Amino acid sequence: MPKWFSCQRLLHLQLSTSLFIALVIVAIVQFFACYTTYNYNYLTVENVGSSLYHVTNPKLVINKSKPECKYEDLLLSSKSTAVWDVPKNYDDFLPTGILNGSYFPDDCNPLYSVAILVTYRNRQSQLDIFIPYMHNFLRKQRIHYKIYVIEQQDNKPWNKGILYNIGAKQAIADKFPCLILHDVDLLPLDEANLYACLRQPRHMSASIDKFRYVLIYSNLVGGVLAITSEQYMEVNGFSNKYEGWGGEDDDFANRLRIYDLQIMRFPPTKSRYTMLRHRQEKKNKNRHRIMSNDKSKIRLDGVKSLPYYTASVRDHRLYSMVSVRL
């Protein structure tokens, strides 16, 4: 074979490889340009205080001899837990001050009462990390909170929407004015991430390590979302039709839009989460077909029109378990 022919083939190979690499880079840039949001809109630190929803559970017994809890130092904090410092187990966890999954600060009167709703099935290893981690995180915030674990105990297809609706009904019956819808595999990292509702729905988990701390798309509400009980009932909660994984969060974001509720967020440096590892679940193939933009249909599908189910509530020291069979 002539020497010039070999050189020509080598040059052609190098050119093809370079072209392929260039195309891959362009594809990656286009993906992040089209499907992620680096600089999403968020509340400035100065505006957070006036946007918070200052309402507590009417069942609380307020001690008038104690001062109101202060939150300015918390909201201005720059402290954060590094991902590699998140504990993998809690052999030495102390449940000081916790009763039936609920906590109330003993040195001041809180301005916020929140119900943390965690939908769950067959993820015991994650729950074993989530519960003590969240108590350690939340007890420092000087808020009144209660953790509800809503477990689907049957073998039917997973239905997160129904579980959230059932959990919300229980928390609202317990007079909680603010609901925080929380995936069991997400742990907050920033101390300034105050677990409280805003006057508008608040997407709390805008920056997750799995997605390189980038918001995937602007109307995302999945992961961790804070919403007032009144707003949850106004949009009729979640759709009950999404079986399997995926679709119910986007449907809920659509409901917020239809009811003119704006999604708010804290700054990216105050919204960071780490995701616990887990097996990727199979997506719901029908998720795009189910979503509706019709208000009349939304009113017929949600928390006010749940299908038949049985549920029992049992208080544990660290959480209240709502056991559900569909």
Side-chain angles (χ1 to χ4, degrees):
M1 180 181 295
K3 186 176 180 180
W4 63 267
F5 185 73
S6 299
C7 292
Q8 190 178 39
R9 287 194 62 184
L10 181 62
L11 182 62
H12 180 72
L13 181 62
Q14 289 177 337
L15 183 62
S16 300
T17 303
S18 300
L19 182 61
F20 174 77
I21 293 173
L23 290 173
V24 169
I25 292 173
V26 169
I28 292 173
V29 170
Q30 285 185 333
F31 173 81
F32 282 104
C34 297
Y35 297 103
T36 64
T37 303
Y38 284 95
N39 298 308
Y40 59 80
N41 293 328
Y42 56 83
L43 289 169
T44 62
V45 175
E46 295 76 18
N47 291 329
V48 166
S50 60
S51 302
L52 287 165
Y53 184 63
H54 299 276
V55 182
T56 55
N57 193 315
K59 291 183 177 181
L60 281 183
V61 178
I62 302 298
N63 188 335
K64 295 183 179 180
S65 65
K66 295 180 181 179
E68 285 187 348
C69 297
K70 303 297 183 182
Y71 302 93
E72 290 81 3
D73 58 335
L74 183 76
L75 292 169
L76 293 173
S77 174
S78 59
K79 292 182 181 179
S80 182
T81 301
V83 172
W84 50 84
D85 288 333
V86 173
K88 301 297 185 292
N89 57 67
Y90 284 88
D91 296 333
D92 57 348
F93 175 72
L94 298 176
T96 307
I98 303 169
L99 180 64
N100 299 333
S102 183
Y103 176 82
F104 184 94
D106 58 4
D107 60 341
C108 60
N109 293 313
L111 298 183
Y112 312 103
S113 290
V114 301
I116 299 167
L117 308 181
V118 185
T119 53
Y120 169 80
R121 183 167 71 176
N122 297 335
R123 290 193 178 179
Q124 188 65 50
S125 61
Q126 292 183 355
L127 191 66
D128 289 343
I129 297 174
F130 178 88
I131 293 296
Y133 183 95
M134 291 305 299
H135 280 304
N136 282 341
F137 182 85
L138 294 170
R139 281 184 293 187
K140 300 174 184 177
Q141 296 203 338
R142 302 187 293 276
I143 62 173
H144 168 228
Y145 69 87
K146 182 169 183 174
I147 297 178
Y148 295 82
V149 176
I150 307 99
E151 181 180 23
Q152 184 173 336
Q153 292 190 330
D154 55 50
N155 293 321
K156 293 183 178 179
W158 168 253
N159 194 313
K160 188 171 78 169
I162 290 181
L163 296 182
Y164 270 140
N165 286 339
I166 294 171
K169 286 185 67 174
Q170 181 61 47
I172 292 171
D174 291 339
K175 304 299 182 183
F176 277 95
C178 172
L179 310 176
I180 296 183
L181 317 176
H182 211 302
D183 284 358
V184 72
D185 58 3
L186 289 179
L187 304 177
L189 298 174
D190 300 307
E191 188 177 89
N193 190 355
L194 178 64
Y195 266 54
C197 280
L198 301 176
R199 300 184 188 280
Q200 291 288 323
R202 173 191 168 199
H203 183 227
M204 299 176 66
S205 55
S207 303
I208 300 176
D209 59 353
K210 179 180 179 180
F211 306 115
R212 302 192 309 155
Y213 301 108
V214 172
L215 183 65
I216 304 175
Y217 49 94
S218 59
N219 64 334
L220 178 68
V221 299
V224 187
L225 177 76
I227 185 170
T228 70
S229 296
E230 290 183 359
Q231 290 166 348
Y232 192 91
M233 296 304 294
E234 180 184 1
V235 302
N236 200 17
F238 276 75
S239 169
N240 300 311
K241 296 180 179 179
Y242 289 85
E243 294 184 341
W245 292 86
E248 66 284 325
D249 292 322
D250 290 337
D251 184 285
F252 194 74
N254 188 50
R255 291 176 180 230
L256 298 180
R257 179 187 61 79
I258 289 172
Y259 280 84
D260 297 320
L261 293 170
Q262 184 180 359
I263 300 169
M264 309 294 287
R265 294 183 175 92
F266 275 17
T269 55
K270 301 180 185 296
S271 307
R272 288 174 292 199
Y273 284 75
T274 183
M275 179 178 286
L276 300 174
R277 291 185 178 182
H278 59 87
R279 179 174 56 86
Q280 189 68 38
E281 303 288 347
K282 189 175 181 180
K283 292 288 186 181
N284 176 2
K285 295 181 180 179
N286 298 318
R287 60 189 186 278
H288 300 298
R289 178 182 56 81
I290 300 172
M291 189 178 298
S292 173
N293 292 315
D294 189 332
K295 250 189 181 182
S296 61
K297 290 183 179 179
I298 290 174
R299 294 192 189 102
L300 298 175
D301 174 29
V303 66
K304 299 174 186 176
S305 56
L306 281 161
Y308 176 79
Y309 68 92
T310 60
S312 61
V313 182
R314 180 183 177 189
D315 286 329
H316 298 262
R317 176 72 183 271
L318 301 182
Y319 55 88
S320 182
M321 173 66 79
V322 183
S323 302
V324 176
R325 289 184 176 275
L326 304 179

Short mmCIF file of all heavy atoms in Angstrom, two decimals, residues 176-221:
data_model
loop_
_atom_site.label_atom_id
_atom_site.label_comp_id
_atom_site.label_asym_id
_atom_site.label_seq_id
_atom_site.Cartn_x
_atom_site.Cartn_y
_atom_site.Cartn_z
N PHE A 176 -53.00 21.69 59.94
CA PHE A 176 -51.75 22.28 59.47
C PHE A 176 -52.04 23.21 58.28
O PHE A 176 -52.68 22.80 57.32
CB PHE A 176 -50.77 21.19 59.05
CG PHE A 176 -50.00 20.63 60.22
CD1 PHE A 176 -50.45 19.49 60.86
CD2 PHE A 176 -48.86 21.26 60.68
CE1 PHE A 176 -49.75 18.97 61.95
CE2 PHE A 176 -48.16 20.75 61.77
CZ PHE A 176 -48.61 19.61 62.40
N PRO A 177 -51.58 24.47 58.36
CA PRO A 177 -51.86 25.43 57.29
C PRO A 177 -50.91 25.35 56.10
O PRO A 177 -51.18 25.91 55.05
CB PRO A 177 -51.68 26.77 58.00
CG PRO A 177 -50.64 26.49 59.05
CD PRO A 177 -50.88 25.08 59.50
N CYS A 178 -49.79 24.65 56.27
CA CYS A 178 -48.77 24.57 55.22
C CYS A 178 -48.38 23.12 55.00
O CYS A 178 -48.09 22.39 55.96
CB CYS A 178 -47.54 25.39 55.61
SG CYS A 178 -46.10 25.20 54.52
N LEU A 179 -48.38 22.69 53.75
CA LEU A 179 -48.02 21.32 53.39
C LEU A 179 -46.71 21.34 52.60
O LEU A 179 -46.56 22.14 51.67
CB LEU A 179 -49.11 20.67 52.52
CG LEU A 179 -50.55 20.77 53.02
CD1 LEU A 179 -51.51 20.17 51.99
CD2 LEU A 179 -50.71 20.07 54.36
N ILE A 180 -45.78 20.46 52.95
CA ILE A 180 -44.55 20.32 52.18
C ILE A 180 -44.52 18.90 51.63
O ILE A 180 -44.43 17.93 52.37
CB ILE A 180 -43.31 20.62 53.03
CG1 ILE A 180 -43.33 22.09 53.47
CG2 ILE A 180 -42.04 20.31 52.23
CD1 ILE A 180 -42.11 22.53 54.25
N LEU A 181 -44.65 18.80 50.31
CA LEU A 181 -44.69 17.52 49.61
C LEU A 181 -43.26 17.11 49.32
O LEU A 181 -42.54 17.82 48.59
CB LEU A 181 -45.51 17.65 48.32
CG LEU A 181 -46.81 18.46 48.44
CD1 LEU A 181 -47.47 18.60 47.07
CD2 LEU A 181 -47.75 17.84 49.44
N HIS A 182 -42.82 15.97 49.87
CA HIS A 182 -41.39 15.69 49.93
C HIS A 182 -41.06 14.28 49.46
O HIS A 182 -41.58 13.30 49.99
CB HIS A 182 -40.92 15.84 51.38
CG HIS A 182 -39.51 16.29 51.55
ND1 HIS A 182 -38.44 15.60 51.03
CD2 HIS A 182 -39.00 17.37 52.19
CE1 HIS A 182 -37.32 16.24 51.35
NE2 HIS A 182 -37.63 17.32 52.05
N ASP A 183 -40.19 14.16 48.45
CA ASP A 183 -39.68 12.85 48.04
C ASP A 183 -38.76 12.30 49.14
O ASP A 183 -37.98 13.06 49.74
CB ASP A 183 -38.89 12.96 46.74
CG ASP A 183 -39.80 13.11 45.52
OD1 ASP A 183 -41.03 13.09 45.69
OD2 ASP A 183 -39.25 13.25 44.40
N VAL A 184 -38.82 11.00 49.36
CA VAL A 184 -38.05 10.37 50.43
C VAL A 184 -36.56 10.29 50.10
O VAL A 184 -35.73 10.06 50.99
CB VAL A 184 -38.61 8.97 50.75
CG1 VAL A 184 -38.27 7.97 49.62
CG2 VAL A 184 -38.11 8.44 52.08
N ASP A 185 -36.20 10.50 48.85
CA ASP A 185 -34.79 10.37 48.45
C ASP A 185 -34.06 11.70 48.37
O ASP A 185 -32.92 11.76 47.89
CB ASP A 185 -34.67 9.62 47.12
CG ASP A 185 -35.43 10.30 45.99
OD1 ASP A 185 -36.01 11.38 46.21
OD2 ASP A 185 -35.46 9.75 44.87
N LEU A 186 -34.67 12.79 48.82
CA LEU A 186 -34.03 14.10 48.76
C LEU A 186 -33.75 14.65 50.16
O LEU A 186 -34.64 14.66 51.02
CB LEU A 186 -34.91 15.09 47.99
CG LEU A 186 -35.02 14.86 46.48
CD1 LEU A 186 -35.94 15.89 45.85
CD2 LEU A 186 -33.65 14.89 45.81
N LEU A 187 -32.52 15.14 50.36
CA LEU A 187 -32.11 15.70 51.64
C LEU A 187 -31.60 17.11 51.42
O LEU A 187 -30.73 17.35 50.57
CB LEU A 187 -30.99 14.85 52.26
CG LEU A 187 -31.28 13.36 52.46
CD1 LEU A 187 -30.05 12.66 53.01
CD2 LEU A 187 -32.48 13.15 53.39
N PRO A 188 -32.10 18.10 52.17
CA PRO A 188 -31.64 19.48 52.02
C PRO A 188 -30.23 19.64 52.56
O PRO A 188 -29.84 19.03 53.55
CB PRO A 188 -32.65 20.28 52.85
CG PRO A 188 -33.12 19.30 53.89
CD PRO A 188 -33.13 17.96 53.22
N LEU A 189 -29.46 20.53 51.92
CA LEU A 189 -28.07 20.74 52.31
C LEU A 189 -27.82 22.12 52.93
O LEU A 189 -26.91 22.29 53.72
CB LEU A 189 -27.15 20.58 51.09
CG LEU A 189 -27.13 19.19 50.44
CD1 LEU A 189 -26.29 19.23 49.16
CD2 LEU A 189 -26.60 18.13 51.40
N ASP A 190 -28.64 23.11 52.57
CA ASP A 190 -28.39 24.49 52.98
C ASP A 190 -29.19 24.87 54.23
O ASP A 190 -30.41 24.71 54.26
CB ASP A 190 -28.73 25.45 51.85
CG ASP A 190 -27.90 25.18 50.60
OD1 ASP A 190 -26.67 25.14 50.73
OD2 ASP A 190 -28.49 24.99 49.53
N GLU A 191 -28.50 25.39 55.22
CA GLU A 191 -29.15 25.77 56.47
C GLU A 191 -30.22 26.83 56.26
O GLU A 191 -31.23 26.87 56.95
CB GLU A 191 -28.09 26.30 57.45
CG GLU A 191 -28.60 26.57 58.85
CD GLU A 191 -27.50 27.01 59.79
OE1 GLU A 191 -27.25 28.24 59.88
OE2 GLU A 191 -26.89 26.13 60.42
N ALA A 192 -30.03 27.72 55.27
CA ALA A 192 -30.97 28.81 55.02
C ALA A 192 -32.25 28.37 54.32
O ALA A 192 -33.13 29.20 54.08
CB ALA A 192 -30.28 29.89 54.19
N ASN A 193 -32.36 27.11 53.98
CA ASN A 193 -33.55 26.59 53.30
C ASN A 193 -34.66 26.40 54.33
O ASN A 193 -34.95 25.28 54.76
CB ASN A 193 -33.21 25.27 52.60
CG ASN A 193 -34.31 24.80 51.67
OD1 ASN A 193 -35.39 25.39 51.60
ND2 ASN A 193 -34.06 23.72 50.97
N LEU A 194 -35.29 27.49 54.72
CA LEU A 194 -36.34 27.46 55.73
C LEU A 194 -37.53 26.66 55.24
O LEU A 194 -38.08 26.94 54.17
CB LEU A 194 -36.77 28.89 56.08
CG LEU A 194 -37.90 29.02 57.10
CD1 LEU A 194 -37.47 28.49 58.47
CD2 LEU A 194 -38.35 30.48 57.22
N TYR A 195 -37.95 25.69 56.03
CA TYR A 195 -39.09 24.85 55.67
C TYR A 195 -40.38 25.54 56.08
O TYR A 195 -40.92 25.33 57.16
CB TYR A 195 -38.95 23.47 56.31
CG TYR A 195 -38.28 22.46 55.38
CD1 TYR A 195 -37.05 22.74 54.82
CD2 TYR A 195 -38.89 21.27 55.03
CE1 TYR A 195 -36.42 21.84 53.96
CE2 TYR A 195 -38.28 20.36 54.16
CZ TYR A 195 -37.05 20.67 53.63
OH TYR A 195 -36.45 19.79 52.77
N ALA A 196 -40.85 26.39 55.18
CA ALA A 196 -42.07 27.16 55.41
C ALA A 196 -42.68 27.50 54.07
O ALA A 196 -42.00 27.53 53.03
CB ALA A 196 -41.75 28.45 56.19
N CYS A 197 -43.98 27.77 54.08
CA CYS A 197 -44.68 28.15 52.86
C CYS A 197 -44.49 29.64 52.58
O CYS A 197 -44.26 30.44 53.48
CB CYS A 197 -46.18 27.87 53.00
SG CYS A 197 -46.66 26.14 52.74
N LEU A 198 -44.59 29.98 51.31
CA LEU A 198 -44.70 31.36 50.87
C LEU A 198 -46.17 31.64 50.57
O LEU A 198 -47.02 30.74 50.63
CB LEU A 198 -43.85 31.61 49.63
CG LEU A 198 -42.35 31.32 49.76
CD1 LEU A 198 -41.66 31.53 48.40
CD2 LEU A 198 -41.72 32.20 50.82
N ARG A 199 -46.46 32.87 50.22
CA ARG A 199 -47.85 33.21 49.87
C ARG A 199 -48.25 32.60 48.53
O ARG A 199 -49.43 32.50 48.21
CB ARG A 199 -48.03 34.73 49.85
CG ARG A 199 -47.73 35.37 51.20
CD ARG A 199 -48.00 36.87 51.19
NE ARG A 199 -47.55 37.47 52.42
CZ ARG A 199 -48.23 37.46 53.57
NH1 ARG A 199 -49.40 36.84 53.61
NH2 ARG A 199 -47.75 38.03 54.65
N GLN A 200 -47.26 32.21 47.74
CA GLN A 200 -47.47 31.47 46.50
C GLN A 200 -46.77 30.12 46.64
O GLN A 200 -45.87 29.96 47.47
CB GLN A 200 -46.89 32.25 45.31
CG GLN A 200 -47.63 33.53 44.96
CD GLN A 200 -48.97 33.28 44.32
OE1 GLN A 200 -49.16 32.35 43.54
NE2 GLN A 200 -49.94 34.13 44.63
N PRO A 201 -47.16 29.11 45.86
CA PRO A 201 -46.49 27.80 45.95
C PRO A 201 -44.98 27.95 45.76
O PRO A 201 -44.53 28.73 44.91
CB PRO A 201 -47.12 27.00 44.81
CG PRO A 201 -48.47 27.62 44.63
CD PRO A 201 -48.28 29.08 44.90
N ARG A 202 -44.23 27.21 46.53
CA ARG A 202 -42.77 27.33 46.53
C ARG A 202 -42.11 26.01 46.16
O ARG A 202 -42.26 25.02 46.88
CB ARG A 202 -42.30 27.78 47.91
CG ARG A 202 -40.80 27.79 48.08
CD ARG A 202 -40.40 27.97 49.53
NE ARG A 202 -39.00 27.70 49.73
CZ ARG A 202 -38.43 27.44 50.91
NH1 ARG A 202 -39.18 27.42 52.00
NH2 ARG A 202 -37.15 27.19 50.99
N HIS A 203 -41.39 25.99 45.04
CA HIS A 203 -40.60 24.82 44.69
C HIS A 203 -39.28 24.92 45.43
O HIS A 203 -38.49 25.84 45.21
CB HIS A 203 -40.36 24.77 43.17
CG HIS A 203 -39.62 23.56 42.73
ND1 HIS A 203 -38.55 23.61 41.86
CD2 HIS A 203 -39.77 22.25 43.05
CE1 HIS A 203 -38.09 22.40 41.66
NE2 HIS A 203 -38.80 21.55 42.37
N MET A 204 -39.02 23.97 46.33
CA MET A 204 -37.89 24.08 47.24
C MET A 204 -36.63 23.41 46.72
O MET A 204 -35.52 23.81 47.06
CB MET A 204 -38.28 23.48 48.60
CG MET A 204 -39.45 24.19 49.26
SD MET A 204 -39.97 23.42 50.81
CE MET A 204 -38.53 23.71 51.85
N SER A 205 -36.76 22.36 45.91
CA SER A 205 -35.61 21.57 45.48
C SER A 205 -35.18 21.95 44.06
O SER A 205 -35.16 21.12 43.15
CB SER A 205 -35.93 20.08 45.55
OG SER A 205 -37.10 19.78 44.80
N ALA A 206 -34.82 23.22 43.87
CA ALA A 206 -34.44 23.69 42.53
C ALA A 206 -33.04 23.24 42.13
O ALA A 206 -32.73 23.21 40.93
CB ALA A 206 -34.54 25.21 42.48
N SER A 207 -32.20 22.90 43.11
CA SER A 207 -30.80 22.57 42.82
C SER A 207 -30.45 21.22 43.42
O SER A 207 -30.21 21.13 44.63
CB SER A 207 -29.87 23.66 43.38
OG SER A 207 -30.21 24.93 42.85
N ILE A 208 -30.41 20.18 42.59
CA ILE A 208 -30.15 18.82 43.06
C ILE A 208 -28.83 18.34 42.48
O ILE A 208 -28.54 18.56 41.30
CB ILE A 208 -31.30 17.87 42.64
CG1 ILE A 208 -32.63 18.35 43.23
CG2 ILE A 208 -31.02 16.44 43.07
CD1 ILE A 208 -33.84 17.55 42.79
N ASP A 209 -28.04 17.67 43.31
CA ASP A 209 -26.70 17.25 42.86
C ASP A 209 -26.76 16.32 41.65
O ASP A 209 -25.89 16.38 40.78
CB ASP A 209 -25.92 16.61 44.01
CG ASP A 209 -26.60 15.38 44.62
OD1 ASP A 209 -27.75 15.08 44.25
OD2 ASP A 209 -25.98 14.72 45.47
N LYS A 210 -27.77 15.47 41.56
CA LYS A 210 -27.88 14.55 40.43
C LYS A 210 -27.93 15.30 39.10
O LYS A 210 -27.44 14.81 38.07
CB LYS A 210 -29.13 13.67 40.58
CG LYS A 210 -29.32 12.69 39.44
CD LYS A 210 -30.57 11.84 39.61
CE LYS A 210 -30.76 10.90 38.43
NZ LYS A 210 -31.99 10.06 38.57
N PHE A 211 -28.52 16.51 39.11
CA PHE A 211 -28.64 17.32 37.90
C PHE A 211 -27.64 18.47 37.91
O PHE A 211 -27.89 19.52 37.30
CB PHE A 211 -30.07 17.85 37.78
CG PHE A 211 -31.12 16.78 37.83
CD1 PHE A 211 -32.03 16.73 38.87
CD2 PHE A 211 -31.18 15.80 36.84
CE1 PHE A 211 -32.99 15.72 38.94
CE2 PHE A 211 -32.14 14.80 36.89
CZ PHE A 211 -33.04 14.76 37.95
N ARG A 212 -26.53 18.27 38.61
CA ARG A 212 -25.45 19.26 38.69
C ARG A 212 -25.95 20.60 39.23
O ARG A 212 -25.51 21.66 38.83
CB ARG A 212 -24.78 19.45 37.33
CG ARG A 212 -24.21 18.15 36.73
CD ARG A 212 -23.33 18.44 35.55
NE ARG A 212 -23.98 19.31 34.57
CZ ARG A 212 -23.32 20.08 33.73
NH1 ARG A 212 -22.00 20.11 33.76
NH2 ARG A 212 -23.97 20.84 32.88
N TYR A 213 -26.92 20.55 40.12
CA TYR A 213 -27.49 21.74 40.77
C TYR A 213 -28.09 22.72 39.75
O TYR A 213 -28.05 23.93 39.93
CB TYR A 213 -26.45 22.44 41.64
CG TYR A 213 -25.89 21.55 42.72
CD1 TYR A 213 -24.59 21.06 42.65
CD2 TYR A 213 -26.67 21.19 43.81
CE1 TYR A 213 -24.08 20.23 43.64
CE2 TYR A 213 -26.17 20.35 44.80
CZ TYR A 213 -24.88 19.87 44.71
OH TYR A 213 -24.39 19.05 45.69
N VAL A 214 -28.65 22.17 38.68
CA VAL A 214 -29.27 22.98 37.64
C VAL A 214 -30.76 22.65 37.58
O VAL A 214 -31.14 21.47 37.63
CB VAL A 214 -28.62 22.71 36.26
CG1 VAL A 214 -29.39 23.40 35.15
CG2 VAL A 214 -27.17 23.18 36.27
N LEU A 215 -31.61 23.66 37.49
CA LEU A 215 -33.04 23.44 37.36
C LEU A 215 -33.34 22.86 35.98
O LEU A 215 -32.98 23.47 34.96
CB LEU A 215 -33.80 24.76 37.57
CG LEU A 215 -35.32 24.69 37.53
CD1 LEU A 215 -35.85 23.86 38.69
CD2 LEU A 215 -35.92 26.09 37.56
N ILE A 216 -33.99 21.71 35.93
CA ILE A 216 -34.18 21.01 34.65
C ILE A 216 -35.10 21.79 33.72
O ILE A 216 -34.82 21.92 32.53
CB ILE A 216 -34.75 19.60 34.90
CG1 ILE A 216 -33.85 18.82 35.84
CG2 ILE A 216 -34.89 18.84 33.59
CD1 ILE A 216 -34.39 17.46 36.22
N TYR A 217 -36.22 22.30 34.22
CA TYR A 217 -37.09 23.16 33.44
C TYR A 217 -37.87 24.06 34.39
O TYR A 217 -38.06 23.75 35.56
CB TYR A 217 -38.03 22.37 32.52
CG TYR A 217 -38.79 21.22 33.16
CD1 TYR A 217 -40.07 21.40 33.66
CD2 TYR A 217 -38.22 19.95 33.24
CE1 TYR A 217 -40.77 20.35 34.23
CE2 TYR A 217 -38.91 18.89 33.81
CZ TYR A 217 -40.18 19.10 34.29
OH TYR A 217 -40.88 18.05 34.87
N SER A 218 -38.32 25.20 33.88
CA SER A 218 -38.78 26.29 34.73
C SER A 218 -40.07 25.98 35.50
O SER A 218 -40.29 26.53 36.58
CB SER A 218 -38.98 27.56 33.91
OG SER A 218 -39.93 27.34 32.87
N ASN A 219 -40.94 25.12 34.95
CA ASN A 219 -42.20 24.83 35.64
C ASN A 219 -42.13 23.54 36.45
O ASN A 219 -43.16 22.96 36.81
CB ASN A 219 -43.36 24.76 34.65
CG ASN A 219 -43.22 23.63 33.65
OD1 ASN A 219 -42.11 23.20 33.36
ND2 ASN A 219 -44.33 23.15 33.10
N LEU A 220 -40.93 23.09 36.77
CA LEU A 220 -40.75 21.89 37.60
C LEU A 220 -41.25 22.15 39.02
O LEU A 220 -40.93 23.17 39.62
CB LEU A 220 -39.27 21.50 37.63
CG LEU A 220 -38.91 20.29 38.49
CD1 LEU A 220 -39.47 19.01 37.90
CD2 LEU A 220 -37.38 20.17 38.63
N VAL A 221 -42.03 21.22 39.55
CA VAL A 221 -42.47 21.30 40.95
C VAL A 221 -42.18 20.00 41.70
O VAL A 221 -42.45 19.89 42.90
CB VAL A 221 -43.98 21.63 41.07
CG1 VAL A 221 -44.28 22.98 40.45
CG2 VAL A 221 -44.85 20.53 40.45
#
